[in-house]
């Protein structure tokens, strides 16, 4: 099959970009012809190494840019002879919809960021992929027909992004608690800081590491700087590959307020961390409904602190949850994601022929 992926850019630090790049490379390894049309970015060299063709298409939302992009997209689809277009963001879906209609091929969309109001535009697809069951339910409530929807749970294990990566753990000491993600309100970091303040009072040897960056990083640093636990919190910034930090951590924490299907949980499970995360959106599904990680209510720092203290009170409990993180972990491979996505493409092509 000839598959053209369409996304805004190929830069790091965006979950939907990581998922699209992982999928494109996995599909190429399965023997399909793959191209990516985007504004370019950090992963271009990786795509080239995996024999994924690349086209440049601007996603700037200005009339002249959009008109040129529509023309270019039609040219690339026809000249490259695409069988299906797979759009990964709202602008991509809006660009691709009229062109796919015109040339008579299916458009498949993936809803990565369901919490955005504009996610309803992903319903333009001939078929719509939801990255978790929770996202699928949300899109159905927004009016996307069940007949269009397919759930393909995110997974990263075996992804091309991680081939040949260093598996030497970062020495974080014991006990080390780690967060990896963007510095955005929906990630719930203020709740983690409040919880850790209580944890550190009971376990003064505990350390908290924050890996990632974002628009609220400065305010979070200022917030923590006023807490008694400030000396035990390290803001490590963005890392090209946080996996080594996960390998060095004892407990991985994700206190999100909203998270469709965070890729970072697949990575933390592969690294063998004990995991504590909030019971929201796709997180329970990625943690086998609590069998592979401890679920806590969102916006509840005392509950989070209680769970973290219970783990730190007994190192054997941490070791037990590290073992539990491996429960059904084989389901989180990129190979499974690629295989299920191919079935969605075939269903989309078949629907246009009926």
């Amino acid at each position: 099959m000839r598959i053209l992926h369409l996304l805004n850019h190929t830069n790091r630090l965006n979950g939907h970009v990581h998922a699209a790049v992982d999928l494109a490379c996995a599909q190429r390894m399965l023997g399909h012809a793959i191209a990516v049309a985007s504004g370019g970015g950090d992963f271009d060299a990786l795509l080239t190494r995996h024999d994924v063709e690349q086209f440049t298409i601007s996603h700037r939302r200005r009339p002249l840019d959009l008109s040129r992009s529509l023309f270019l997209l039609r040219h690339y689809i026809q000249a490259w002879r695409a069988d299906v277009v797979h759009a990964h963001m709202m602008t991509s879906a809006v660009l691709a919809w009229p062109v796919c209609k015109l040339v008579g091929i299916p458009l498949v969309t993936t809803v990565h960021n369901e919490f955005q109001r504009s996610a309803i535009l992903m319903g333009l697809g001939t078929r719509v992929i939801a990255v978790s069951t929770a996202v699928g339910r949300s899109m159905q409530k927004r009016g996307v027909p069940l007949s269009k929807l397919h759930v393909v749970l995110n997974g990263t294990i075996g992804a091309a992004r991680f081939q040949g990566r260093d598996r030497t753990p970062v020495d974080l000491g014991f006990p080390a608690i780690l967060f990896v993600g963007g510095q955005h309100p929906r990630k719930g970091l203020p709740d983690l800081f409040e919880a850790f303040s209580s944890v550190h009072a009971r376990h003064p040897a505990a350390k908290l590491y924050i890996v990632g960056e974002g628009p609220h990083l400065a305010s979070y640093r200022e917030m923590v700087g006023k807490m008694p636990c400030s000396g035990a919190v390290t803001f490590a910034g963005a890392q090209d590959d946080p996996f080594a930090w996960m390998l060095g951590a004892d407990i991985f924490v994700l206190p999100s307020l909203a998270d469709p299907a965070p890729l970072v949980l697949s990575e933390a499970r592969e690294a063998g961390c004990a995991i504590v995360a909030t019971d929201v959106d796709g997180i329970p599904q990625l943690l086998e409904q609590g069998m592979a990680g401890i679920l806590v209510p969102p916006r509840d720092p005392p509950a989070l602190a209680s769970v973290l203290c219970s783990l730190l009170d007994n190192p054997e409990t941490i070791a037990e949850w590290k073992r539990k993180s491996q429960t059904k972990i084989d389901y989180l491979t990129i190979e499974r994601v690629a295989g299920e996505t191919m079935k969605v493409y075939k269903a989309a092509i078949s629907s246009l022929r009926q």
Side-chain angles (χ1 to χ4, degrees):
M1 191 177 294
R2 302 182 67 81
I3 305 153
L4 176 65
H5 290 276
L6 186 62
L7 59 160
N8 297 20
H9 57 78
T10 59
N11 288 320
R12 296 182 185 274
L13 305 179
N14 289 90
H16 76 278
V17 173
H18 296 179
V21 168
D22 290 348
L23 179 59
C25 292
Q27 290 171 334
R28 185 68 192 95
M29 286 188 279
L30 290 174
H32 301 284
I34 308 297
V36 169
S38 75
D42 302 326
F43 287 118
D44 290 352
L46 174 67
L47 293 168
T48 297
R49 288 199 302 272
H50 285 80
D51 198 25
V52 174
E53 295 188 56
Q54 295 172 73
F55 306 125
T56 300
I57 288 186
S58 170
H59 280 64
R60 287 191 292 258
R61 298 178 185 180
R62 298 186 297 202
L64 287 178
D65 289 313
L66 292 174
S67 297
R68 176 174 171 77
S69 295
L70 284 167
F71 173 82
L72 283 174
L73 182 58
R74 180 180 179 182
H75 167 73
Y76 291 144
I77 288 173
Q78 292 182 314
W80 192 71
R81 296 177 290 111
D83 296 311
V84 62
V85 172
H86 190 157
H88 293 269
M89 289 300 287
M90 276 65 81
T91 304
S92 301
V94 172
L95 276 174
W97 181 72
V99 179
C100 288
K101 286 283 187 182
L102 188 63
V103 301
I105 65 171
L107 167 64
V108 172
T109 60
T110 291
V111 185
H112 295 282
N113 295 328
E114 166 273 333
F115 52 85
Q116 294 179 342
R117 293 177 61 185
S118 55
I120 187 60
L121 293 172
M122 305 309 277
L124 292 170
T126 312
R127 287 291 188 272
V128 179
I129 293 175
V131 294
S132 67
T133 299
V135 171
R137 287 196 296 264
S138 177
M139 296 307 293
Q140 190 177 356
K141 289 179 182 178
R142 295 190 190 194
V144 177
L146 183 61
S147 58
K148 272 190 176 188
L149 279 166
H150 300 261
V151 174
V152 179
L153 184 67
N154 277 341
T156 62
I157 297 174
R161 285 185 296 123
F162 304 139
Q163 289 179 357
R165 67 182 171 186
D166 186 3
R167 287 183 171 267
T168 304
V170 175
D171 185 5
L172 303 179
F174 179 87
I177 301 170
L178 175 68
F179 166 90
V180 177
Q183 317 295 290
H184 299 278
R186 72 178 180 88
K187 290 295 184 178
L189 277 170
D191 293 339
L192 175 56
F193 299 145
E194 183 178 340
F196 183 72
S197 182
S198 299
V199 170
H200 188 257
R202 183 164 158 181
H203 294 274
K207 303 291 184 182
L208 174 62
Y209 297 89
I210 307 297
V211 172
E213 60 184 22
H216 291 262
L217 178 57
S219 64
Y220 289 158
R221 285 181 183 272
E222 182 179 357
M223 181 186 303
V224 171
K226 298 175 182 177
M227 294 180 169
C229 63
S230 61
V233 180
T234 298
F235 287 87
Q239 301 290 322
D240 286 342
D241 186 2
F243 191 70
W245 291 73
M246 295 177 183
L247 289 171
D250 300 295
I251 304 169
F252 182 87
V253 181
L254 189 63
S256 299
L257 310 181
D259 233 331
L263 299 176
V264 71
L265 285 181
S266 176
E267 297 176 47
R269 288 185 59 186
E270 184 182 3
C273 297
I275 298 172
V276 180
T278 44
D279 189 1
V280 298
D281 299 335
I283 289 177
Q285 190 173 4
L286 285 165
L287 294 179
E288 296 296 331
Q289 308 303 324
M291 290 191 295
I294 301 173
L295 296 170
V296 297
R299 303 180 189 274
D300 194 341
L304 178 56
S306 177
V307 168
L308 291 174
C309 283
S310 70
L311 290 171
L312 296 177
D313 285 343
N314 187 353
E316 291 182 2
T317 306
I318 295 177
E320 179 186 356
W321 278 102
K322 285 186 174 185
R323 290 191 295 271
K324 287 183 177 181
S325 73
Q326 304 306 293
T327 303
K328 299 182 180 179
I329 196 170
D330 291 345
Y331 191 70
L332 297 181
T333 64
I334 190 61
E335 184 179 6
R336 188 267 307 164
V337 173
E340 292 182 7
T341 303
M342 293 307 302
K343 292 179 182 178
V344 177
Y345 295 161
K346 291 174 182 177
I349 291 171
S350 177
S351 70
L352 288 187
R353 291 174 178 169
Q354 293 176 355

